[in-house]
Amino acid sequence: MSVPGKVRLVEVGPRDGLQNEAGLVPLDIKVALVDRLSAAGFPAVEAGSFVSPRWVPQMADSPEVFARIARRAGVAYPALVPNMKGLDAALAADVREIAVFVSASEGFSRKNIACTRAESLDRLAPVVERAVAAGLAVRGYVSCIAGCPYDGAVPPSDVATMAKALVAMGCYEISLGDTIGVGTAGQIRDVIATVSRHVPRAAIAMHFHDTCGQGVANVLASLEEGIATFDSSVAGLGGCPYAPGASGNVATEDVLYLLHGMGIETGIDFAAVAETGGWISARLGRANAARAGRAYLAGTGRTDGR
Ligand code: HMG
Ligand code: MG
């Protein structure tokens, strides 16, 4: 399989990153983060989520975020939606793309969205139908594709079953999430091979967390499987509040360094992302987890991987 010449990166830091911050992040910072990222050239910046504020308090001001960001032509700003109530709120905030999410494992489904996998599909079918009828683009996430914090090993066939169901509902793309960052390259290739028997590779995105330091290796393995869309998070922000111990997403700066170094086009300004990674890390008072970002900011990295 040939490696794609062009990759679409979905920046998920403002959602997957900030949802896990312990202290409340001020609205101004959230808005500035989204605006800085969209200015850096991302085709998509996941900007918030319309979930229960009892479950994820950090995302409770997503309506205000959507009201204040400078929406750029050609940039998608997806938001997470778990149910019809979330869709109502997203529509009221003039969200044009939603992301629905299910788990490949039963344990994480119960802990993260308080229902079984089968119930989650039943709950989401009318949500996706109504969103599509309203002209929204709908992305689907399948979590725990390489392991579950509650159930352990997850068979690739379970990942495929959930991905197939989301496509049948009307999702244009399925993002396969290694939520707890435990997968290794061979395993990831197996998951992609299994899912791609049911979902075209062009409709598969990969979403890696970097808990075990495998994020960039797993991106490379996925590229070699013909995958051309990846989720990543500036400064490696994040984690999931219902996946204890999981670290942030693979850092956008590290993925850009790999891609640009391999001559793969993204349309994204590495320097602008690295500056934003330094800025948000300082604002949050946390270490910058992007190694290529830190090297750039210290003046020791080549500017861009090229
Ligand atoms: P539940 O408790 O069963 O829901 O939670 P409920 O219907 O009984 O409602 C409970 C309360 O929440 C009620 O309020 C509802 O009105 C309210 P009360 O009457 O008690 O005051 N509520 C809502 N409020 C605002 N917006 C809504 C909404 N829905 C209910 N949409 C539910 C079920 C799905 C709502 C809950 O479990 C939930 O919100 N879960 C989301 C958890 C979450 O966001 N996790 C992180 C994102 S997933 C992730 O990070 C993985 C990913 O990155 C991919 C990867 O890494 O693999 C995507
Ligand atoms: Mg995630």
Side-chain angles (χ1 to χ4, degrees), residues 49-290:
S49 73
F50 293 81
V51 299
S52 169
R54 285 175 186 276
W55 285 66
V56 186
Q58 192 62 260
M59 292 284 107
D61 59 357
S62 286
E64 288 79 21
V65 171
F66 274 89
R68 292 198 23 204
I69 53 175
R71 299 192 203 198
R72 290 181 173 250
V75 179
Y77 298 93
L80 250 58
V81 160
N83 55 16
M84 204 55 96
K85 185 164 183 162
L87 177 59
D88 286 337
L91 289 169
D94 200 21
V95 169
R96 303 306 305 156
E97 174 164 337
I98 62 165
V100 296
F101 50 107
V102 299
S103 174
S105 68
E106 204 62 44
F108 186 71
S109 185
R110 289 176 188 276
K111 294 281 188 191
N112 192 46
I113 50 176
C115 64
T116 65
R117 289 174 291 186
E119 285 163 353
S120 70
L121 295 175
D122 289 346
R123 181 195 280 171
L124 288 174
V127 175
V128 175
E129 189 182 344
R130 188 167 147 234
V132 169
L136 271 60
V138 184
R139 196 167 197 244
Y141 277 108
V142 180
S143 292
C144 294
I145 62 143
C148 170
Y150 308 102
D151 299 351
V154 175
S157 56
D158 287 7
V159 181
T161 301
M162 298 306 281
K164 208 166 104 180
L166 290 177
V167 168
M169 270 181 213
C171 294
Y172 75 90
E173 178 174 270
I174 308 301
S175 176
L176 303 179
D178 181 5
T179 316
I180 54 171
V182 293
T184 47
Q187 183 187 3
I188 295 303
R189 294 186 80 136
D190 279 352
V191 172
I192 294 169
T194 304
V195 174
S196 66
R197 286 189 210 115
H198 309 278
V199 178
R201 283 166 205 254
I204 298 175
M206 297 306 293
H207 175 115
F208 295 114
H209 286 256
D210 211 13
T211 318
C212 298
Q214 304 300 297
V216 169
N218 287 340
V219 169
L220 179 58
S222 308
L223 287 168
E224 289 170 354
E225 281 292 325
I227 301 300
T229 302
F230 295 92
D231 303 346
S232 63
S233 160
V234 63
L237 295 178
C240 172
Y242 296 97
S247 80
N249 297 87
V250 63
T252 304
E253 296 90 319
D254 296 350
V255 175
L256 284 174
Y257 193 87
L258 170 78
L259 296 173
H260 293 176
M262 291 176 72
I264 296 171
E265 247 182 79
T266 64
I268 297 163
D269 179 349
F270 173 88
V273 179
E275 297 286 354
T276 299
W279 169 80
I280 190 66
S281 301
R283 288 306 172 107
L284 299 177
R286 54 151 45 228
N288 183 350

